[in-house]
Amino acid sequence: LNVHNDTRTRREMKSTEDFLASEMNKLSVQERSKALDELHCVGEELKETPEMIETSLAEFDQILRETNAPIYNLAASQNRSYVEDPAFRLRFLRANLHDVDK
């Protein structure tokens, strides 16, 4: 049974790798380079401005108020001051290059 699952897992991994390689080969060199940079968290550095930070934090706050996010609500119930701290929220925004919808 274990050998069967192991063989099946290898086949599935190979199939996934082949699909990924096929899709990556369809991209231009620039698109492929950008995708790999994003995957490895390298590439263009975002130039933050105070206005960008303020706007992103305000949009992030609005989304949190408008949605019912169970994980966020749980975290807020445990330590509201921590999860509402702008420095804490800014970590999420920076991780997503200030794309609030991510």
Side-chain angles (χ1 to χ4, degrees):
L1 180 70
N2 209 5
V3 173
H4 174 70
N5 286 341
D6 196 38
T7 303
R8 181 176 161 198
T9 300
R10 284 191 199 130
R11 265 197 323 263
E12 289 172 352
M13 287 177 56
K14 175 75 170 120
S15 174
T16 301
E17 289 170 356
D18 290 347
F19 174 74
L20 180 59
S22 171
E23 292 301 306
M24 289 293 282
N25 284 331
K26 293 177 184 177
L27 300 175
S28 70
V29 173
Q30 293 83 6
E31 290 170 325
R32 191 175 323 136
S33 179
K34 183 178 178 189
L36 291 171
D37 284 349
E38 287 178 7
L39 176 69
H40 297 289
C41 299
V42 296
E44 292 184 30
E45 189 174 316
L46 181 66
K47 305 294 184 206
E48 284 185 344
T49 64
E51 293 81 19
M52 175 191 290
I53 292 171
E54 184 178 337
T55 300
S56 297
L57 285 170
E59 290 175 10
F60 190 54
D61 185 57
Q62 181 178 356
I63 287 173
L64 289 172
R65 281 186 278 116
E66 291 174 353
T67 60
N68 186 18
I71 294 173
Y72 175 79
N73 293 336
L74 175 63
S77 73
Q78 293 176 358
N79 191 338
R80 182 167 298 281
S81 64
Y82 184 72
V83 297
E84 290 183 352
D85 183 345
F88 176 74
R89 290 181 174 186
L90 196 52
R91 291 179 196 158
F92 290 93
L93 293 168
R94 286 178 173 150
N96 292 304
L97 301 176
H98 286 262
D99 185 345
V100 178
D101 293 322
K102 283 187 178 179

